[in-house]
Amino acid sequence: MATSATVQRVAVGAPEYRRASAGLWSDAAWRLRHDPTTLLALFVVLLFVVIALGADFLAANFFHRAFSQQDILSSYEKPNTDEAWRWLGTDELGRSQAVRLLYGARVSLFVGGFGALTAVVIGLTAGVTAGYFRGWWDDVVVWLVTTLNSIPRLYLLLIVGVLWRLEPLPFALLLGSLGWLGICNYARGQSIALREREYILAARTVGCSPVRLMVRHLAPNILPLIIVLAMIEIGQLILAESAISFIGFGIQPPTPSWGNMLTNASQYLGKAPYLIVPPGLAVLITVLCLYLIGDGLRDALDPRLRGSVGPRPRAA
Amino acid sequence: MRRLVAIFGAAMLVATACAGGTPPTSGGASPSTAASDTPVPGGRVVAGATGDPKTMQPIISTDTQSSFVWQWFYLGLTRANYKTGETEPSLADKFELSKDGLTLTYTLRDNLVWSDGTPFSGEDWRYTVHSVARSAKTVRKSTFQDIVGWADYRDGKASSISGITVGNGGKTIEIKFAKVFCPAQAAMGGAGGGILPSAAFKKVYDPYTTDTKQNIDDNALNMNPPASMGPFVFKEFKPGIQVTLGRNDKYFRGAPLIEEFVIKVYADATAVKNALVTGEVTYGTVEAKDYDEVNKVDSLKGYRYKSSGYTYIGWNAKAAKAPWLANRDVRQALWYGINVDAIMQKILFGLGTQVYSHNPPTSWAYDTSGLTTYKNDVAKAKQLLEKAGAKMGSDGIYRWTDGSPMKMRIETNQGNNARETILQFAQEQYKAIGVQIDPLLESFNALLDRTDPGTDFEGFIIGWSLGADPDPYSIWHSSQQGKGQFNNIGYNNPAVDQALLDNRNGPDCSKESRKKALHTVDQNLNQDAPYTFLYAADVLFFGNKQLQAVDPNTYSNTWNIEKWWFKK
Amino acid sequence: MGRFIARRLVQAVPTLFGVLLLTFLLSRLSPSDPVQLMLYGNTEVTSEDREQLRHALGLDQPLPIQFVQWLWQLAHLDFGNSIYYHRPALDLILERIPNSLQISLLALVVTVGIGIPLGVIAALRRGRPEDHAIRIFSVLGHAIPEFWLGLLFVLTFAVQNRWFPIGSMNAVGVDCTLCFDRVWHLVGPVLVISIAGIANLPRILRTEVLEVISQDYVRTARSKGLKENAVVAVHVLRNALIPVVTSFGTILLVFFSGSLIIERVFNWPGLGRLTFEAAVSKDFPVVQGAIIIASVLLILSYILRDIAYAWVDPRIKVR
């Protein structure tokens, strides 16, 4: 075990894999069911998603307030229990922080989710094809990845923010196009290792086309862990979005995002200190749960992988 | 750029910001009530700024961060009294306008000397004005356009301005005007900003030629002031950190008691406020939202006084994407449509005065008689819009006569909390009267650049900082709509044009006559509503309790800085 | 080792090229007119002046030629002049780098100094309360938005309680680097920036330590009677350090990016704050220069990390 373990660490991820079969997922599900932390985290995230999706409905029927609706005569109210929309207090324009938090969830989760989806699509495609075909395409992909990895992410977002003005959708795409690096590396590593497996060689001999091979044989083996990385990526993207919106180069007001709610809050620290807690806490909890889910999924899928695949310091 | 420098173009903020006391007595001590109240020298005053100075050359300086630095070195012949704004002596102790209003003569004080030992003379003033004429980056040329020989020199047809004569060994300056220029006494003294040490600057630039390609805009001394006539001399500039100034022993009002003056750079106004509260900064002004918090700090003493200027929403009548802004009824509707009372109460917290036209409450020309107050009235606003031809669409937004929806952009600068809040407030308010607003926040430089006279902007929120002598010519006259000039909203009113000229070129320069002309201007502006005039904010000044002799007011908060001292 | 270093340096060239290419393309493909960006603040610019500048900047040439010209300028260390400060952009950037490095290097020291012991403790006390606490702290530290932590720090420890300064490198009038005043000012930013790194190290280390501890050669060492601590120190750490060094790369990346916001929150005159202010005032030469320099620094630190990696695990050099 000593040698295989060290080899494990040296090469970029080449563990033994079980074949993608019903066994993997049902085993994983079993483990998950007995992992209370991950279940709780999953529940919290799903709750947030549901609430975010239902933001319009809740705003109209429960809070009776729109997110941009101002009531300047009720500005700077501390959180109180008078009415639902006052639960988290109001800001300088009398807007309900509770409702804005809701819509902020929508923006942040959308940017994180959609961005991660983009990242997975790009990363998986680039990584698998690079690992499978090798040659010049592999060189190009590696070059691209190394290049993008060498530019601090926020600097890149900053320069883009200077030159263009971004709506949430293009912004999500942009973030996604910077977040595929880790996924690509992993997929490529797996691809390189797996292409030498007997069943792959067999499929090739039989005449299986490369595309079919990658889609039906390579990808399913890589996918489980990609999902783990994706979870983590969502978290990292939410953090990146909140950071760049905080300094004013991301989502522009009045569209609320947790990041730009904090920009506001930081200006009123003296007058309304309660404004700074909810958005920051929301980001913290969401990202925390996503990491826990990622961890839990990884443990459930293959406990031996603990430590070699997991949340890395965010490249934000 | 243009805005905050309108003053320099029109009058005196430079002179007002200069330190210096009332009729100078040598080292007049402040009246002491007890033995422990004797002023002692020493100590460091730290002021907070929200950005590095771009330049220390008054001629090309267009932002307050820069002027806050060079104002300590380069003074004017006169300055505005810190409370009344009246022109009073500074480097000149006598100034006289001839009866026909066409000749202005300054007589300098005796024994004036720069911090490097060179004597100060009228030649320094003359040099500065010539440099303004040839500069490519300055915004102050309109101040001097009525001087005889100005145009010829500026265009390179002469090697000096014929209307300026320095005589009596440099002790007198005589200026001849081609036509009467009523604000002359107030405006000429500052040479458009501050007077430069000609001996030092001549080594890098000589304006007495016909070569218009050369100018003072790019040279090393612009970031390294060689000498000072003010209370402090330049010592060091560490970009991003601070500007350090030292005491000027040769200051004509007496050497300051304070030993060092530091201007420390912070990220934004909130950071400056934090620095005030924790004692890192000795004095500064705060935004309305922070007033309560800072007032409670024991170690600080607060002062509240009116400012000379106002904040407004400007509407570009030449906007290509918003042709309705050329219509007076629409502009009036926009004024009725926004609740300025709520702004005064909830954004300004009562720390200011609402204004209805151009001349602010601090001006001697202030007169609200006969002005409409445009009290918030949504129904009236809608009525006016419909009278102008707008038709309500199914989505709650009005459609203009050409069928296009009434959608437009309002922009303002980041970093000014009140303006940012008003922008968002306006968006909601105008939604209620059927006009859709697209808000845009940008840097101050970007705002100035985008709102340069042109057709590519619609609404914008910004403020004017005005000098004591009311001369709104450069802002409202129809001839001032060129690139880089201040009438960027396309305002055209012949009655106002005439009144502006009457105020500026008289020939009757008496206060009564000028007041009449200015009131005509105010009344027209109030009815034409080219701006939605908002308010003149109070200045909220706080200083460390240990700092004595502080006496801030409208036109200067540091006019007597040479008398400030720290009581232990 | 020398050959390894040389090889790594050569490998870095295409990466650097990629960075330059990307930066160049971004600036030329944006809707903002570069000439407009350069002539900010000039009130009497005529269209002839614009044409002249366009020609001087080579903007009327096809894109590839512009790129080569631009590279040539960069090779001469001409990054253009800052529009705001009227000084060479490179000078401004180089002035600020030492300030940022102070935070980054100190943060690295703190991260390693706290992270490694925490990881070892978590491993040795597996399953016990300390382990759980450290793991919770780990995940929390990962998930917390850095700037939020920074804001809370300033609010609680600097404004409400004057235990730390609200920002800047030194108190006014104090001008020293290796002194208590500077350290006192460094505490806030370093602590906040390190959190991400401190949170991550224990996780990695814990796993590694656990793996290694159960291996044969360790058991052999123990059975020989070597003291527990010696065993851990020599064998475990040596092996566990490998992934730690790997994570240095990402940690440094975090420091660079995070510094942008932390420097603003703590009023620190470093590269991050310069870039941000330049971005706000559309001072394009400075923003562009900052990205390039930051990338160069990052590439260099990756190379250093690889060298450290090779030193720790000699097998790497063969790759």
Side-chain angles (χ1 to χ4, degrees):
Chain A
M1 184 162 130
T3 35
S4 67
T6 34
V7 167
Q8 217 170 308
R9 274 192 304 271
V10 166
V12 177
E16 291 281 333
Y17 251 136
R18 288 198 299 240
R19 210 118 50 102
S21 64
L24 174 69
W25 293 104
S26 61
D27 276 353
W30 182 90
R31 287 197 201 98
L32 269 181
R33 247 177 283 140
H34 295 259
D35 184 353
T37 326
T38 312
L39 284 177
L40 183 63
L42 204 55
F43 173 70
V44 170
V45 171
L46 283 173
L47 184 67
F48 278 17
V49 172
V50 165
I51 292 182
L53 287 175
D56 287 327
F57 178 77
L58 282 170
N61 298 316
F62 183 65
F63 291 103
H64 303 291
R65 263 289 190 271
F67 71 84
S68 62
Q69 188 174 347
Q70 299 173 7
D71 185 2
I72 201 160
L73 298 171
S74 315
S75 56
Y76 299 109
E77 260 184 37
K78 288 215 228 298
N80 59 55
T81 47
D82 282 349
E83 289 166 282
W85 61 273
R86 296 181 203 259
W87 280 351
L88 290 177
T90 61
D91 61 10
E92 76 278 11
L93 286 162
R95 293 181 295 205
S96 163
Q97 289 304 287
V99 177
R100 284 179 74 78
L101 200 68
L102 223 56
Y103 278 88
R106 204 149 73 152
V107 171
S108 298
L109 287 173
F110 169 75
V111 168
F114 193 74
L117 187 64
T118 316
V120 167
V121 167
I122 301 179
L124 197 56
T125 320
V128 170
T129 48
Y132 183 74
F133 287 119
R134 315 278 345 241
W136 66 271
W137 176 238
D138 188 29
D139 288 336
V140 169
V141 170
V142 169
W143 173 69
L144 255 178
V145 169
T146 334
T147 304
L148 284 175
N149 237 350
S150 304
I151 307 182
R153 203 191 278 205
L154 268 186
Y155 279 73
L156 203 51
L157 287 172
L158 200 67
I159 198 174
V160 173
V162 171
L163 300 168
W164 284 277
R165 226 187 129 203
L166 294 172
E167 298 298 313
L169 183 59
F171 185 56
L173 281 171
L174 175 67
L175 278 182
S177 64
L178 295 177
W180 57 272
L181 307 170
I183 294 176
C184 175
N185 266 335
Y186 179 75
R188 178 178 168 272
Q190 294 296 63
S191 203
I192 293 178
L194 287 177
R195 71 204 285 272
E196 303 304 327
R197 296 242 154 269
E198 294 93 18
Y199 67 95
I200 300 288
L201 289 172
R204 269 218 297 238
T205 336
V206 167
C208 203
S209 79
V211 174
R212 194 181 152 83
L213 209 119
M214 288 188 287
V215 171
R216 301 244 21 235
H217 296 284
L218 282 179
N221 278 308
I222 304 177
L223 211 51
L225 268 300
I226 294 286
I227 295 182
V228 173
L229 287 174
M231 286 291 136
I232 295 158
E233 190 59 31
I234 301 180
Q236 297 202 356
L237 289 183
I238 292 182
L239 283 171
E241 181 272 318
S242 67
I244 198 104
S245 296
F246 172 68
I247 56 175
F249 282 93
I251 308 286
Q252 301 291 326
T255 314
S257 98
W258 287 335
N260 67 31
M261 282 173 77
L262 283 169
T263 323
N264 231 26
S266 68
Q267 292 188 355
Y268 295 100
L269 274 182
K271 214 168 169 61
Y274 54 86
L275 286 177
I276 202 167
V277 176
L281 214 53
V283 172
L284 174 57
I285 294 176
T286 312
V287 177
L288 182 64
C289 290
L290 283 166
Y291 282 164
L292 287 175
I293 294 175
D295 265 5
L297 265 181
R298 191 208 56 222
D299 285 349
L301 285 168
D302 191 339
R304 283 177 299 168
L305 287 172
R306 242 190 214 159
S308 65
V309 173
R312 292 272 179 261
R314 55 189 175 283
Chain B
M1 182 170 82
R2 307 179 310 273
R3 294 301 182 268
L4 288 180
V5 168
I7 29 150
F8 304 130
M12 302 299 307
L13 213 65
V14 171
T16 66
C18 291
T22 37
T25 50
S26 48
S30 26
S32 37
T33 49
S36 61
D37 280 343
T38 346
V40 287
R44 173 194 300 116
V45 168
V46 181
T50 49
D52 279 333
K54 268 162 76 165
T55 180
M56 296 187 206
Q57 168 57 264
I59 295 181
I60 58 174
S61 158
T62 56
D63 61 309
T64 26
Q65 278 120 18
S66 300
S67 65
F68 188 63
V69 174
W70 56 254
Q71 62 165 17
W72 300 112
F73 324 127
Y74 305 134
L75 309 189
L77 299 171
T78 56
R79 69 176 190 182
N81 178 277
Y82 77 111
K83 221 188 291 203
T84 65
E86 298 277 344
T87 313
E88 62 180 25
S90 181
L91 292 169
D93 63 2
K94 278 215 293 288
F95 42 94
E96 227 175 288
L97 193 57
S98 68
K99 265 220 168 51
D100 61 1
L102 293 174
T103 313
L104 178 57
T105 319
Y106 290 95
T107 318
L108 300 180
R109 287 182 209 270
D110 292 324
N111 305 322
L112 287 176
V113 93
W114 287 92
S115 60
D116 64 355
T118 342
F120 177 88
S121 83
E123 173 54 32
D124 293 321
W125 187 91
R126 183 165 171 259
Y127 176 89
T128 314
V129 175
H130 279 79
S131 303
V132 170
R134 290 274 170 81
S135 162
K137 294 197 187 141
T138 188
V139 292
R140 296 142 206 265
K141 291 192 184 167
S142 67
T143 315
F144 306 104
Q145 65 186 34
D146 290 327
I147 299 181
V148 169
W150 169 263
D152 281 344
Y153 172 73
R154 183 198 61 202
D155 298 336
K157 300 207 195 98
S159 63
S160 70
I161 304 173
S162 49
I164 300 179
T165 335
V166 173
N168 237 337
K171 206 159 160 341
T172 57
I173 306 171
E174 189 192 73
I175 311 167
K176 283 203 154 31
F177 295 98
K179 47 182 198 246
V180 174
F181 182 54
C182 296
Q185 286 185 92
M188 289 294 123
I195 304 176
L196 301 172
S198 59
F201 270 92
K202 269 218 184 93
K203 299 190 195 135
V204 293
Y205 169 61
D206 180 4
Y208 302 117
T209 66
T210 51
D211 181 4
T212 54
K213 290 270 179 272
Q214 299 273 342
N215 58 43
I216 204 171
D217 298 351
D218 262 300
N219 69 72
L221 293 180
N222 285 352
M223 273 314 257
N224 205 341
S228 163
M229 278 307 289
F232 299 109
V233 288
F234 175 76
K235 281 213 326 221
E236 193 187 13
F237 172 42
K238 285 199 231 158
I241 305 180
Q242 66 184 50
V243 182
T244 318
L245 312 177
R247 174 198 284 141
N248 177 10
D249 293 312
K250 301 195 177 62
Y251 183 46
F252 72 94
R253 292 188 201 267
L257 291 158
I258 303 289
E259 200 177 308
E260 202 175 72
F261 188 86
V262 169
I263 302 166
K264 203 159 141 83
V265 181
Y266 292 91
D268 56 23
T270 309
V272 175
K273 183 234 2 166
N274 281 340
L276 247 186
V277 166
T278 54
E280 217 174 87
V281 155
T282 325
Y283 81 89
T285 56
V286 302
E287 297 175 297
K289 67 169 166 77
D290 296 319
Y291 186 64
D292 276 338
E293 183 196 342
V294 184
N295 221 359
K296 294 201 186 89
V297 177
D298 281 330
S299 57
L300 295 174
K301 183 156 177 233
Y303 305 78
R304 188 179 139 192
Y305 47 90
K306 295 206 192 310
S307 70
S308 175
Y310 59 88
T311 307
Y312 63 92
I313 309 177
W315 304 111
N316 184 7
K318 300 206 285 221
K321 298 198 199 116
W324 49 84
L325 288 177
N327 182 308
R328 180 161 110 161
D329 286 329
V330 170
R331 294 196 304 266
Q332 288 193 346
L334 289 169
W335 198 337
Y336 278 114
I338 188 167
N339 187 345
V340 188
D341 277 331
I343 292 181
M344 299 302 299
Q345 250 188 64
K346 288 295 183 167
I347 297 179
L348 219 54
F349 301 100
L351 301 163
T353 325
Q354 190 174 354
V355 293
Y356 312 99
S357 195
H358 177 84
N359 290 297
T362 47
S363 170
W364 50 259
Y366 182 60
D367 181 358
T368 53
S369 62
L371 298 183
T372 315
T373 57
Y374 290 93
K375 204 160 172 55
N376 184 222
D377 190 336
V378 173
K380 183 135 193 213
K382 284 183 149 166
Q383 192 189 43
L384 279 167
L385 284 174
E386 278 162 17
K387 175 163 161 250
K391 295 223 178 350
M392 178 60 86
S394 55
D395 52 359
I397 304 178
Y398 273 109
R399 297 284 185 277
W400 188 235
T401 50
D402 60 6
S404 56
M406 290 183 74
K407 255 181 75 165
M408 58 184 168
R409 165 180 287 175
I410 301 183
E411 50 201 295
T412 191
N413 58 303
Q414 285 170 320
N416 185 316
N417 183 268
R419 287 183 203 166
E420 288 178 24
T421 316
I422 293 174
L423 180 59
Q424 305 215 42
F425 181 65
Q427 190 187 23
E428 279 297 291
Q429 293 273 294
Y430 288 136
K431 195 152 96 170
I433 63 164
V435 175
Q436 192 179 349
I437 300 293
D438 171 27
L440 173 61
L441 277 178
E442 53 199 350
S443 75
F444 190 59
N445 282 331
L447 178 65
L448 291 180
D449 208 61
R450 276 187 45 81
T451 53
D452 210 45
T455 58
D456 194 29
F457 62 100
E458 293 96 61
F460 55 99
I461 306 177
I462 204 170
W464 281 118
S465 198
L466 301 171
D469 192 293
D471 178 22
Y473 173 81
S474 50
I475 301 175
W476 298 111
H477 197 271
S478 53
S479 70
Q480 302 292 302
Q481 299 183 45
K483 275 235 156 288
Q485 294 185 308
F486 298 147
N487 183 349
N488 61 340
I489 45 150
Y491 188 63
N492 260 308
N493 184 327
V496 169
D497 277 355
Q498 187 54 52
L500 288 169
L501 287 172
D502 288 342
N503 169 53
R504 174 179 243 244
N505 297 117
D508 181 357
C509 285
S510 68
K511 268 220 180 116
E512 298 77 53
S513 148
R514 289 181 69 189
K515 206 168 166 179
K516 237 174 85 190
L518 288 166
H519 193 59
T520 310
V521 173
D522 271 347
Q523 280 175 319
N524 274 286
L525 291 176
N526 178 258
Q527 291 308 303
D528 289 338
Y531 294 164
T532 295
F533 293 89
L534 293 173
Y535 56 80
D538 287 342
V539 179
L540 308 161
F541 182 98
F542 285 90
N544 190 307
K545 272 206 171 108
Q546 289 180 327
L547 197 54
Q548 309 295 309
V550 177
D551 190 6
N553 219 308
T554 306
Y555 295 97
S556 171
N557 46 27
T558 49
W559 60 282
N560 65 344
I561 199 170
E562 75 280 1
K563 296 211 173 52
W564 292 9
W565 58 284
F566 282 100
K567 182 163 156 183
K568 293 301 167 184
Chain C
M1 186 59 118
R3 261 197 312 178
F4 176 74
I5 298 178
R7 216 162 5 117
R8 263 315 262 115
L9 281 170
V10 169
Q11 281 173 346
V13 174
T15 313
L16 183 60
F17 180 77
V19 170
L20 292 173
L21 184 62
L22 183 63
T23 319
F24 175 77
L25 284 175
L26 275 178
S27 71
R28 295 291 188 259
L29 294 179
S30 92
S32 313
D33 179 11
V35 172
Q36 183 60 19
L37 288 176
M38 301 272 163
L39 287 178
Y40 239 47
N42 234 324
T43 55
E44 290 187 10
V45 174
T46 61
S47 49
E48 293 97 57
D49 292 337
R50 282 187 210 271
E51 281 316 303
Q52 254 188 351
L53 188 57
R54 197 172 294 276
H55 185 75
L57 289 177
L59 290 174
D60 44 4
Q61 311 262 28
L63 225 49
I65 300 191
Q66 285 188 42
F67 183 51
V68 173
Q69 282 180 332
W70 185 67
L71 282 179
W72 187 240
Q73 274 183 312
L74 287 184
H76 286 100
L77 295 184
D78 176 13
F79 281 72
N81 278 351
S82 159
I83 299 169
Y84 192 84
Y85 290 99
H86 304 293
R87 289 172 60 206
L90 188 61
D91 289 351
L92 286 165
I93 295 169
L94 290 180
E95 265 170 19
R96 301 293 186 103
I97 287 184
N99 303 338
S100 290
L101 276 182
Q102 283 174 39
I103 298 185
S104 300
L105 291 177
L106 205 55
L108 197 60
V109 168
V110 167
T111 303
V112 168
I114 300 186
I116 292 189
L118 278 186
V120 172
I121 295 175
L124 294 180
R125 301 263 184 280
R126 174 171 41 136
R128 307 239 203 91
E130 295 98 335
D131 181 24
H132 285 302
I134 292 176
R135 291 172 71 198
I136 291 176
F137 166 71
S138 253
V139 200
L140 266 179
H142 241 145
I144 202 166
E146 234 171 25
F147 63 93
W148 190 59
L149 196 61
L151 283 174
L152 288 177
F153 183 93
V154 171
L155 178 66
T156 344
F157 297 121
V159 181
Q160 286 181 349
N161 305 291
R162 316 271 169 84
W163 297 336
F164 289 100
I166 56 170
S168 309
M169 291 209 293
N170 284 113
V172 182
V174 178
D175 196 9
C176 61
T177 311
L178 295 170
C179 55
F180 175 72
D181 184 68
R182 176 62 62 86
V183 173
W184 186 53
H185 279 82
L186 274 169
V187 170
V190 168
L191 217 58
V192 172
I193 271 195
S194 316
I195 293 285
I198 298 180
N200 195 61
L201 270 189
R203 295 175 57 89
I204 303 176
L205 208 54
R206 180 183 177 280
T207 321
E208 290 307 315
V209 171
L210 284 178
E211 280 250 12
V212 176
I213 251 183
S214 54
Q215 286 178 19
D216 297 328
Y217 67 92
V218 173
R219 271 188 263 144
T220 322
R222 275 215 200 103
S223 67
K224 276 206 226 154
L226 288 175
K227 274 187 69 187
E228 181 79 14
N229 289 340
V231 168
V232 169
V234 178
H235 297 281
V236 171
L237 274 184
R238 189 90 201 275
N239 277 289
L241 272 179
I242 296 168
V244 167
V245 177
T246 322
S247 70
F248 275 6
T250 5
I251 288 182
L252 282 165
L253 185 68
V254 171
F255 289 169
F256 268 97
S257 275
S259 72
L260 209 106
I261 302 192
I262 294 301
E263 283 178 15
R264 193 172 139 75
V265 171
F266 284 95
N267 203 38
W268 194 265
L271 186 59
R273 204 181 98 190
L274 175 71
T275 318
F276 173 71
E277 285 165 3
V280 169
S281 41
K282 295 218 196 261
D283 190 354
F284 197 70
V286 174
V287 178
Q288 196 180 61
I291 289 197
I292 295 174
I293 299 292
S295 304
V296 167
L297 285 176
L298 201 53
I299 293 175
L300 282 175
S301 47
Y302 283 157
I303 296 180
L304 284 174
R305 175 208 55 188
D306 285 347
I307 295 177
Y309 202 176
W311 178 70
V312 170
D313 187 347
R315 280 167 299 185
I316 304 308
K317 283 194 256 173
V318 181
R319 265 211 293 163

